Amino acid sequence: MDLTSLTTIDLPPTADFHCHLREGAMMELVTPLTSGGCNTIFVMPNLEKPIVSVTQALTYQEKLSRLAPNVRFLMSLYLHPDVTTDQIELAAKTNIIFGVKLYPAGVTTNSQHGVRDIKRYYPVFAAMQKVGLVLNLHGEFTNCTPDAATIYDSMNAESNFLPQLFTLHKDFPDLRIVLEHVSTKEGVEAVKQCGLNVRGTITAHHLWGTIEDAERDVFNLCKPIMKTPDDRLALIRAAVDGSSKFFFGSDSAPHPIQSKTEKECAAAGCFTQPWCTSLVIGAFERAMSLGWISKDVPREVIEGFLSHFGRTFYKIAQPKQEATSKHSIRLERKGERIPRSIKSSDGTIEVVPFRRDEEVMTLTWLN
């Protein structure tokens, strides 16, 4: 499908398998804007008070569903000592909680309660393997994580985590694992080397940017940080290789503008969810126009990355099987631009999107 020559594209609804919707006033601002072509969103649990119980996850899901009733929110637990094998068994029965997120301590927003000794959780992983919950990995080690023998930085944090991925896959071969927001060519190759129970998500912003973009503009700063042009190329090619090893997860992560501009250490996260499908299609179109990928990428490969591969891995219904869902979305070239910011009705919260002021295809839902 040559995206460079199309003015209109109809697609099945996107499934976003990694999204941050926050809490409180920020949640109320961004959740109703989850209109980026997604009818299924897998929600991250790293709130200020992390989601460590089934009760917390179900309560959070109810709040989100009231704000965006047309979206199916899939929930996750935050790996923590309170996440016991009993909680895992309860979670598996909900048909709402689909995964457990492992944050190495200190790697990203609200990860201070994260994991310092992965082997401590081997009984939990065994329980997850038994009941079929997915282990979601924030695959980075940084200087905040407890390994004094190694010096980590933002550019090698993912690569240094990959031996842990291989160990977990070896020790729990039937455990479904997702290496979240893959950002390096080494991460791509690691996912490919593992068996079919290991997959990777790729974000829209990592398909667009490199470390130079993050250095130029604080609103491009994210964790894991954008890497080199070679890494970006590896991600783009992985997203369209048709193998089903990779699928879409936006890692959309809104922050108040003040936390990006008024702090010595800016908050890491790119806000993309309301435009995520258009951003991915735009990144593929640019890659085709520059000759990075073929213009003959099959439609089913693009649809697979955005919609089908992730649903299959998580064992949830495909769009046409969901009786309550709208069955397709349409993208059209109408000159729409991503706004410079969005604000709450009282003006107290302002969020600046990724690629603000840039043109994107306009998205509408088809009944």
Side-chain angles (χ1 to χ4, degrees):
M1 182 164 64
D2 182 3
L3 298 174
T4 65
S5 64
L6 296 179
T7 58
T8 301
I9 311 167
D10 289 354
L11 296 167
T14 296
D16 180 354
F17 279 97
H18 185 125
C19 188
H20 300 269
L21 294 172
R22 306 307 191 200
E23 56 197 309
M26 179 66 82
M27 174 188 72
E28 293 176 3
L29 172 62
V30 302
T31 304
L33 299 176
T34 52
S35 56
C38 303
N39 67 353
T40 302
I41 296 178
F42 184 50
V43 183
M44 294 295 102
N46 59 326
L47 307 185
E48 290 186 11
K49 183 180 180 181
I51 303 295
V52 297
S53 73
V54 170
T55 299
Q56 283 179 288
L58 298 184
T59 300
Y60 189 26
Q61 194 262 357
E62 290 175 2
K63 292 178 181 179
L64 297 173
S65 295
R66 284 197 294 268
L67 292 167
N70 291 325
V71 176
R72 181 183 181 186
F73 293 103
L74 314 179
M75 308 308 291
S76 58
L77 299 177
Y78 184 116
L79 190 61
H80 178 275
D82 288 350
V83 178
T84 63
T85 56
D86 288 343
Q87 286 289 313
I88 295 300
E89 291 176 4
L90 287 173
K93 296 175 182 177
T94 64
N95 199 35
I96 291 174
I97 300 170
F98 284 80
V100 177
K101 182 68 178 289
L102 188 162
Y103 290 99
V107 296
T108 191
T109 303
N110 295 334
S111 63
Q112 64 270 25
H113 306 291
V115 172
R116 296 182 181 276
D117 178 6
I118 290 178
K119 288 198 172 183
R120 171 182 181 175
Y121 294 95
Y122 268 36
V124 173
F125 301 151
M128 292 172 62
Q129 181 173 247
K130 181 179 178 181
V131 300
L133 288 187
V134 174
L135 176 61
N136 306 96
L137 301 177
H138 183 115
E140 291 188 291
F141 281 145
T142 72
N143 285 336
C144 295
T145 49
D147 184 352
T150 304
I151 299 299
Y152 302 116
D153 61 36
S154 294
M155 295 300 286
N156 69 19
E158 180 172 288
S159 299
N160 281 302
F161 183 89
L162 297 177
Q164 185 64 70
L165 169 65
F166 293 132
T167 298
L168 286 168
H169 183 43
K170 175 179 175 291
D171 291 346
F172 300 95
D174 295 325
L175 176 63
R176 285 178 294 152
I177 298 174
V178 177
L179 182 64
E180 300 289 347
H181 39 54
V182 181
S183 66
T184 61
K185 58 186 178 182
E186 291 87 359
V188 167
E189 290 306 312
V191 172
K192 289 180 177 179
Q193 289 172 31
C194 292
L196 290 177
N197 280 331
V198 175
R199 307 295 169 97
T201 57
I202 298 175
T203 77
H205 50 276
H206 285 104
L207 295 175
W208 274 101
T210 65
I211 182 63
E212 286 79 12
D213 297 296
E215 290 172 342
R216 281 195 298 264
D217 186 347
V218 71
F219 297 105
N220 295 336
L221 178 65
C222 55
K223 288 289 184 73
I225 201 163
M226 301 168 185
K227 304 297 196 303
T228 69
D230 284 346
D231 292 313
R232 177 180 58 189
L233 182 60
L235 295 172
I236 291 171
R237 289 176 174 170
V240 297
D241 72 4
S243 70
S244 81
K245 291 284 280 183
F246 300 92
F247 47 85
F248 178 62
S250 71
D251 193 21
S252 180
H255 289 280
I257 190 171
Q258 296 90 341
S259 68
K260 285 283 197 177
T261 59
E262 297 179 7
K263 292 186 176 182
E264 182 178 348
C265 183
C270 294
F271 178 50
T272 59
Q273 217 296 319
W275 309 274
C276 63
T277 303
S278 297
L279 285 167
V280 170
I281 293 298
F284 290 162
E285 177 189 0
R286 182 181 67 162
M288 289 179 181
S289 68
L290 293 172
W292 297 347
I293 58 174
S294 169
K295 293 182 179 180
D296 297 324
V297 175
R299 169 183 283 272
E300 57 266 27
V301 168
I302 293 175
E303 293 181 356
F305 175 75
L306 283 169
S307 183
H308 300 312
F309 297 157
R311 296 179 203 268
T312 298
F313 185 70
Y314 277 85
K315 301 181 180 180
I316 64 173
Q318 297 293 338
K320 290 184 180 180
Q321 297 172 279
E322 296 174 0
T324 61
S325 74
K326 297 179 180 180
H327 74 273
S328 62
I329 55 178
R330 175 168 293 167
L331 301 178
E332 300 174 275
R333 300 187 195 279
K334 292 185 174 181
E336 178 183 345
R337 292 186 179 275
I338 295 174
R340 290 194 61 80
S341 69
I342 62 166
K343 296 181 181 180
S344 58
S345 58
D346 62 5
T348 58
I349 298 179
E350 182 177 9
V351 181
V352 175
F354 178 70
R355 290 187 62 77
R356 64 195 183 281
D357 278 342
E358 296 293 334
E359 187 171 333
V360 288
M361 298 184 82
T362 297
L363 185 147
T364 53
W365 287 89
L366 305 176
N367 291 321

